[in-house]
mmCIF file with all atom_site columns, all heavy atoms in Angstrom:
data_model
loop_
_atom_site.group_PDB
_atom_site.id
_atom_site.type_symbol
_atom_site.label_atom_id
_atom_site.label_alt_id
_atom_site.label_comp_id
_atom_site.label_asym_id
_atom_site.label_entity_id
_atom_site.label_seq_id
_atom_site.pdbx_PDB_ins_code
_atom_site.Cartn_x
_atom_site.Cartn_y
_atom_site.Cartn_z
_atom_site.occupancy
_atom_site.B_iso_or_equiv
_atom_site.pdbx_formal_charge
_atom_site.auth_seq_id
_atom_site.auth_comp_id
_atom_site.auth_asym_id
_atom_site.auth_atom_id
_atom_site.pdbx_PDB_model_num
ATOM 1   N N   . MET G 1 492 ? -13.292 -12.460 1.920   1.00 98.00 ? 510 MET G N   1
ATOM 2   C CA  . MET G 1 492 ? -11.851 -12.719 2.185   1.00 98.00 ? 510 MET G CA  1
ATOM 3   C C   . MET G 1 492 ? -11.577 -14.204 2.526   1.00 98.00 ? 510 MET G C   1
ATOM 4   O O   . MET G 1 492 ? -10.623 -14.762 2.204   1.00 98.00 ? 510 MET G O   1
ATOM 5   C CB  . MET G 1 492 ? -11.309 -11.825 3.358   1.00 98.00 ? 510 MET G CB  1
ATOM 6   C CG  . MET G 1 492 ? -11.148 -10.404 2.893   1.00 98.00 ? 510 MET G CG  1
ATOM 7   S SD  . MET G 1 492 ? -10.223 -9.293  4.125   1.00 98.00 ? 510 MET G SD  1
ATOM 8   C CE  . MET G 1 492 ? -11.446 -9.164  5.373   1.00 98.00 ? 510 MET G CE  1
ATOM 9   N N   . MET G 1 493 ? -12.630 -14.817 3.134   1.00 98.00 ? 511 MET G N   1
ATOM 10  C CA  . MET G 1 493 ? -12.468 -16.270 3.418   1.00 98.00 ? 511 MET G CA  1
ATOM 11  C C   . MET G 1 493 ? -12.577 -17.099 2.195   1.00 98.00 ? 511 MET G C   1
ATOM 12  O O   . MET G 1 493 ? -11.956 -18.079 1.941   1.00 98.00 ? 511 MET G O   1
ATOM 13  C CB  . MET G 1 493 ? -13.427 -16.758 4.641   1.00 98.00 ? 511 MET G CB  1
ATOM 14  C CG  . MET G 1 493 ? -13.193 -16.287 6.013   1.00 98.00 ? 511 MET G CG  1
ATOM 15  S SD  . MET G 1 493 ? -11.343 -16.540 6.455   1.00 98.00 ? 511 MET G SD  1
ATOM 16  C CE  . MET G 1 493 ? -11.360 -18.349 6.365   1.00 98.00 ? 511 MET G CE  1
ATOM 17  N N   . ILE G 1 494 ? -13.470 -16.582 1.250   1.00 98.00 ? 512 ILE G N   1
ATOM 18  C CA  . ILE G 1 494 ? -13.450 -17.462 -0.071  1.00 98.00 ? 512 ILE G CA  1
ATOM 19  C C   . ILE G 1 494 ? -12.070 -17.169 -0.804  1.00 98.00 ? 512 ILE G C   1
ATOM 20  O O   . ILE G 1 494 ? -11.678 -18.208 -1.334  1.00 98.00 ? 512 ILE G O   1
ATOM 21  C CB  . ILE G 1 494 ? -14.482 -16.719 -0.842  1.00 98.00 ? 512 ILE G CB  1
ATOM 22  C CG1 . ILE G 1 494 ? -15.973 -16.957 -0.284  1.00 98.00 ? 512 ILE G CG1 1
ATOM 23  C CG2 . ILE G 1 494 ? -14.472 -17.270 -2.257  1.00 98.00 ? 512 ILE G CG2 1
ATOM 24  C CD1 . ILE G 1 494 ? -17.011 -16.382 -1.045  1.00 98.00 ? 512 ILE G CD1 1
ATOM 25  N N   . ALA G 1 495 ? -11.483 -16.087 -0.739  1.00 98.00 ? 513 ALA G N   1
ATOM 26  C CA  . ALA G 1 495 ? -10.140 -15.974 -1.408  1.00 98.00 ? 513 ALA G CA  1
ATOM 27  C C   . ALA G 1 495 ? -9.089  -16.793 -0.700  1.00 98.00 ? 513 ALA G C   1
ATOM 28  O O   . ALA G 1 495 ? -8.355  -17.457 -1.354  1.00 98.00 ? 513 ALA G O   1
ATOM 29  C CB  . ALA G 1 495 ? -9.820  -14.449 -1.454  1.00 98.00 ? 513 ALA G CB  1
ATOM 30  N N   . HIS G 1 496 ? -9.232  -16.816 0.659   1.00 98.00 ? 514 HIS G N   1
ATOM 31  C CA  . HIS G 1 496 ? -8.251  -17.653 1.507   1.00 98.00 ? 514 HIS G CA  1
ATOM 32  C C   . HIS G 1 496 ? -8.359  -19.102 1.046   1.00 98.00 ? 514 HIS G C   1
ATOM 33  O O   . HIS G 1 496 ? -7.310  -19.779 0.834   1.00 98.00 ? 514 HIS G O   1
ATOM 34  C CB  . HIS G 1 496 ? -8.486  -17.430 2.970   1.00 98.00 ? 514 HIS G CB  1
ATOM 35  C CG  . HIS G 1 496 ? -7.628  -18.429 3.767   1.00 98.00 ? 514 HIS G CG  1
ATOM 36  N ND1 . HIS G 1 496 ? -6.401  -18.048 4.061   1.00 98.00 ? 514 HIS G ND1 1
ATOM 37  C CD2 . HIS G 1 496 ? -7.944  -19.495 4.513   1.00 98.00 ? 514 HIS G CD2 1
ATOM 38  C CE1 . HIS G 1 496 ? -5.831  -18.963 4.926   1.00 98.00 ? 514 HIS G CE1 1
ATOM 39  N NE2 . HIS G 1 496 ? -6.857  -19.921 5.217   1.00 98.00 ? 514 HIS G NE2 1
ATOM 40  N N   . VAL G 1 497 ? -9.638  -19.590 1.042   1.00 97.00 ? 515 VAL G N   1
ATOM 41  C CA  . VAL G 1 497 ? -9.762  -21.107 0.844   1.00 97.00 ? 515 VAL G CA  1
ATOM 42  C C   . VAL G 1 497 ? -9.341  -21.403 -0.745  1.00 97.00 ? 515 VAL G C   1
ATOM 43  O O   . VAL G 1 497 ? -8.796  -22.482 -0.923  1.00 97.00 ? 515 VAL G O   1
ATOM 44  C CB  . VAL G 1 497 ? -11.242 -21.448 1.005   1.00 97.00 ? 515 VAL G CB  1
ATOM 45  C CG1 . VAL G 1 497 ? -11.627 -22.785 0.498   1.00 97.00 ? 515 VAL G CG1 1
ATOM 46  C CG2 . VAL G 1 497 ? -11.564 -21.295 2.507   1.00 97.00 ? 515 VAL G CG2 1
ATOM 47  N N   . SER G 1 498 ? -9.572  -20.520 -1.592  1.00 97.00 ? 516 SER G N   1
ATOM 48  C CA  . SER G 1 498 ? -9.221  -20.804 -3.031  1.00 97.00 ? 516 SER G CA  1
ATOM 49  C C   . SER G 1 498 ? -7.719  -20.859 -3.154  1.00 97.00 ? 516 SER G C   1
ATOM 50  O O   . SER G 1 498 ? -7.191  -21.749 -3.785  1.00 97.00 ? 516 SER G O   1
ATOM 51  C CB  . SER G 1 498 ? -9.757  -19.766 -3.863  1.00 97.00 ? 516 SER G CB  1
ATOM 52  O OG  . SER G 1 498 ? -9.091  -18.418 -3.752  1.00 97.00 ? 516 SER G OG  1
ATOM 53  N N   . MET G 1 499 ? -6.945  -19.994 -2.532  1.00 97.00 ? 517 MET G N   1
ATOM 54  C CA  . MET G 1 499 ? -5.427  -20.133 -2.664  1.00 97.00 ? 517 MET G CA  1
ATOM 55  C C   . MET G 1 499 ? -4.989  -21.249 -1.939  1.00 97.00 ? 517 MET G C   1
ATOM 56  O O   . MET G 1 499 ? -4.013  -21.989 -2.230  1.00 97.00 ? 517 MET G O   1
ATOM 57  C CB  . MET G 1 499 ? -4.843  -18.824 -2.056  1.00 97.00 ? 517 MET G CB  1
ATOM 58  C CG  . MET G 1 499 ? -5.015  -17.578 -2.943  1.00 97.00 ? 517 MET G CG  1
ATOM 59  S SD  . MET G 1 499 ? -4.147  -16.113 -2.498  1.00 97.00 ? 517 MET G SD  1
ATOM 60  C CE  . MET G 1 499 ? -5.100  -15.559 -1.153  1.00 97.00 ? 517 MET G CE  1
ATOM 61  N N   . ALA G 1 500 ? -5.546  -21.631 -0.678  1.00 96.00 ? 518 ALA G N   1
ATOM 62  C CA  . ALA G 1 500 ? -5.147  -22.882 -0.026  1.00 96.00 ? 518 ALA G CA  1
ATOM 63  C C   . ALA G 1 500 ? -5.423  -24.056 -0.890  1.00 96.00 ? 518 ALA G C   1
ATOM 64  O O   . ALA G 1 500 ? -4.483  -24.977 -0.857  1.00 96.00 ? 518 ALA G O   1
ATOM 65  C CB  . ALA G 1 500 ? -5.860  -22.889 1.328   1.00 96.00 ? 518 ALA G CB  1
ATOM 66  N N   . ARG G 1 501 ? -6.557  -24.190 -1.443  1.00 96.00 ? 519 ARG G N   1
ATOM 67  C CA  . ARG G 1 501 ? -6.691  -25.343 -2.391  1.00 96.00 ? 519 ARG G CA  1
ATOM 68  C C   . ARG G 1 501 ? -5.731  -25.441 -3.524  1.00 96.00 ? 519 ARG G C   1
ATOM 69  O O   . ARG G 1 501 ? -5.093  -26.506 -3.864  1.00 96.00 ? 519 ARG G O   1
ATOM 70  C CB  . ARG G 1 501 ? -8.114  -25.297 -2.933  1.00 96.00 ? 519 ARG G CB  1
ATOM 71  C CG  . ARG G 1 501 ? -9.188  -25.601 -1.925  1.00 96.00 ? 519 ARG G CG  1
ATOM 72  C CD  . ARG G 1 501 ? -10.549 -25.459 -2.515  1.00 96.00 ? 519 ARG G CD  1
ATOM 73  N NE  . ARG G 1 501 ? -11.642 -25.837 -1.625  1.00 96.00 ? 519 ARG G NE  1
ATOM 74  C CZ  . ARG G 1 501 ? -12.924 -25.600 -1.925  1.00 96.00 ? 519 ARG G CZ  1
ATOM 75  N NH1 . ARG G 1 501 ? -13.296 -25.118 -2.949  1.00 96.00 ? 519 ARG G NH1 1
ATOM 76  N NH2 . ARG G 1 501 ? -13.812 -26.105 -0.924  1.00 96.00 ? 519 ARG G NH2 1
ATOM 77  N N   . GLU G 1 502 ? -5.292  -24.228 -4.050  1.00 95.00 ? 520 GLU G N   1
ATOM 78  C CA  . GLU G 1 502 ? -4.337  -24.260 -5.239  1.00 95.00 ? 520 GLU G CA  1
ATOM 79  C C   . GLU G 1 502 ? -2.968  -24.707 -4.694  1.00 95.00 ? 520 GLU G C   1
ATOM 80  O O   . GLU G 1 502 ? -2.187  -25.369 -5.414  1.00 95.00 ? 520 GLU G O   1
ATOM 81  C CB  . GLU G 1 502 ? -4.322  -22.881 -5.861  1.00 95.00 ? 520 GLU G CB  1
ATOM 82  C CG  . GLU G 1 502 ? -3.270  -22.726 -7.056  1.00 95.00 ? 520 GLU G CG  1
ATOM 83  C CD  . GLU G 1 502 ? -3.690  -23.645 -8.201  1.00 95.00 ? 520 GLU G CD  1
ATOM 84  O OE1 . GLU G 1 502 ? -4.874  -24.140 -8.211  1.00 95.00 ? 520 GLU G OE1 1
ATOM 85  O OE2 . GLU G 1 502 ? -2.841  -23.773 -8.992  1.00 95.00 ? 520 GLU G OE2 1
ATOM 86  N N   . ASN G 1 503 ? -2.662  -24.226 -3.612  1.00 94.00 ? 521 ASN G N   1
ATOM 87  C CA  . ASN G 1 503 ? -1.267  -24.543 -2.905  1.00 94.00 ? 521 ASN G CA  1
ATOM 88  C C   . ASN G 1 503 ? -1.304  -26.120 -2.752  1.00 94.00 ? 521 ASN G C   1
ATOM 89  O O   . ASN G 1 503 ? -0.295  -26.867 -3.161  1.00 94.00 ? 521 ASN G O   1
ATOM 90  C CB  . ASN G 1 503 ? -1.174  -24.146 -1.581  1.00 94.00 ? 521 ASN G CB  1
ATOM 91  C CG  . ASN G 1 503 ? -0.624  -22.596 -1.587  1.00 94.00 ? 521 ASN G CG  1
ATOM 92  O OD1 . ASN G 1 503 ? -0.370  -22.121 -2.665  1.00 94.00 ? 521 ASN G OD1 1
ATOM 93  N ND2 . ASN G 1 503 ? -0.561  -21.922 -0.361  1.00 94.00 ? 521 ASN G ND2 1
ATOM 94  N N   . LYS G 1 504 ? -2.368  -26.723 -2.329  1.00 93.00 ? 522 LYS G N   1
ATOM 95  C CA  . LYS G 1 504 ? -2.301  -28.094 -2.012  1.00 93.00 ? 522 LYS G CA  1
ATOM 96  C C   . LYS G 1 504 ? -2.235  -28.913 -3.362  1.00 93.00 ? 522 LYS G C   1
ATOM 97  O O   . LYS G 1 504 ? -1.556  -29.909 -3.605  1.00 93.00 ? 522 LYS G O   1
ATOM 98  C CB  . LYS G 1 504 ? -3.711  -28.611 -1.356  1.00 93.00 ? 522 LYS G CB  1
ATOM 99  C CG  . LYS G 1 504 ? -3.900  -29.975 -1.003  1.00 93.00 ? 522 LYS G CG  1
ATOM 100 C CD  . LYS G 1 504 ? -5.178  -30.223 -0.310  1.00 93.00 ? 522 LYS G CD  1
ATOM 101 C CE  . LYS G 1 504 ? -5.369  -31.716 0.104   1.00 93.00 ? 522 LYS G CE  1
ATOM 102 N NZ  . LYS G 1 504 ? -6.528  -32.160 0.707   1.00 93.00 ? 522 LYS G NZ  1
ATOM 103 N N   . ARG G 1 505 ? -2.874  -28.264 -4.456  1.00 93.00 ? 523 ARG G N   1
ATOM 104 C CA  . ARG G 1 505 ? -2.794  -29.006 -5.694  1.00 93.00 ? 523 ARG G CA  1
ATOM 105 C C   . ARG G 1 505 ? -1.394  -28.882 -6.339  1.00 93.00 ? 523 ARG G C   1
ATOM 106 O O   . ARG G 1 505 ? -0.839  -29.861 -6.935  1.00 93.00 ? 523 ARG G O   1
ATOM 107 C CB  . ARG G 1 505 ? -3.836  -28.317 -6.663  1.00 93.00 ? 523 ARG G CB  1
ATOM 108 C CG  . ARG G 1 505 ? -3.924  -28.940 -8.073  1.00 93.00 ? 523 ARG G CG  1
ATOM 109 C CD  . ARG G 1 505 ? -4.741  -28.169 -9.053  1.00 93.00 ? 523 ARG G CD  1
ATOM 110 N NE  . ARG G 1 505 ? -4.019  -26.947 -9.515  1.00 93.00 ? 523 ARG G NE  1
ATOM 111 C CZ  . ARG G 1 505 ? -3.033  -26.937 -10.361 1.00 93.00 ? 523 ARG G CZ  1
ATOM 112 N NH1 . ARG G 1 505 ? -2.682  -27.963 -10.949 1.00 93.00 ? 523 ARG G NH1 1
ATOM 113 N NH2 . ARG G 1 505 ? -2.473  -25.818 -10.630 1.00 93.00 ? 523 ARG G NH2 1
ATOM 114 N N   . ARG G 1 506 ? -0.752  -27.717 -6.155  1.00 90.00 ? 524 ARG G N   1
ATOM 115 C CA  . ARG G 1 506 ? 0.570   -27.478 -6.728  1.00 90.00 ? 524 ARG G CA  1
ATOM 116 C C   . ARG G 1 506 ? 1.548   -28.498 -6.139  1.00 90.00 ? 524 ARG G C   1
ATOM 117 O O   . ARG G 1 506 ? 2.515   -29.001 -6.703  1.00 90.00 ? 524 ARG G O   1
ATOM 118 C CB  . ARG G 1 506 ? 1.044   -26.177 -6.780  1.00 90.00 ? 524 ARG G CB  1
ATOM 119 C CG  . ARG G 1 506 ? 0.176   -25.196 -7.722  1.00 90.00 ? 524 ARG G CG  1
ATOM 120 C CD  . ARG G 1 506 ? 0.569   -23.778 -7.747  1.00 90.00 ? 524 ARG G CD  1
ATOM 121 N NE  . ARG G 1 506 ? -0.256  -23.084 -8.548  1.00 90.00 ? 524 ARG G NE  1
ATOM 122 C CZ  . ARG G 1 506 ? -0.035  -21.620 -8.850  1.00 90.00 ? 524 ARG G CZ  1
ATOM 123 N NH1 . ARG G 1 506 ? 1.013   -21.024 -8.265  1.00 90.00 ? 524 ARG G NH1 1
ATOM 124 N NH2 . ARG G 1 506 ? -0.815  -21.097 -9.752  1.00 90.00 ? 524 ARG G NH2 1
ATOM 125 N N   . LEU G 1 507 ? 1.476   -28.546 -4.661  1.00 88.00 ? 525 LEU G N   1
ATOM 126 C CA  . LEU G 1 507 ? 2.401   -29.392 -4.014  1.00 88.00 ? 525 LEU G CA  1
ATOM 127 C C   . LEU G 1 507 ? 2.193   -30.836 -4.354  1.00 88.00 ? 525 LEU G C   1
ATOM 128 O O   . LEU G 1 507 ? 3.221   -31.606 -4.187  1.00 88.00 ? 525 LEU G O   1
ATOM 129 C CB  . LEU G 1 507 ? 2.295   -29.123 -2.423  1.00 88.00 ? 525 LEU G CB  1
ATOM 130 C CG  . LEU G 1 507 ? 2.812   -27.572 -2.081  1.00 88.00 ? 525 LEU G CG  1
ATOM 131 C CD1 . LEU G 1 507 ? 2.346   -27.429 -0.603  1.00 88.00 ? 525 LEU G CD1 1
ATOM 132 C CD2 . LEU G 1 507 ? 4.271   -27.549 -2.145  1.00 88.00 ? 525 LEU G CD2 1
#
Side-chain angles (χ1 to χ4, degrees):
M510 288 191 290
M511 287 310 300
I512 291 173
H514 173 81
V515 170
S516 69
M517 288 189 288
R519 287 177 176 172
E520 181 61 19
N521 279 356
K522 184 176 180 181
R523 188 190 69 80
R524 292 183 180 187
L525 290 170

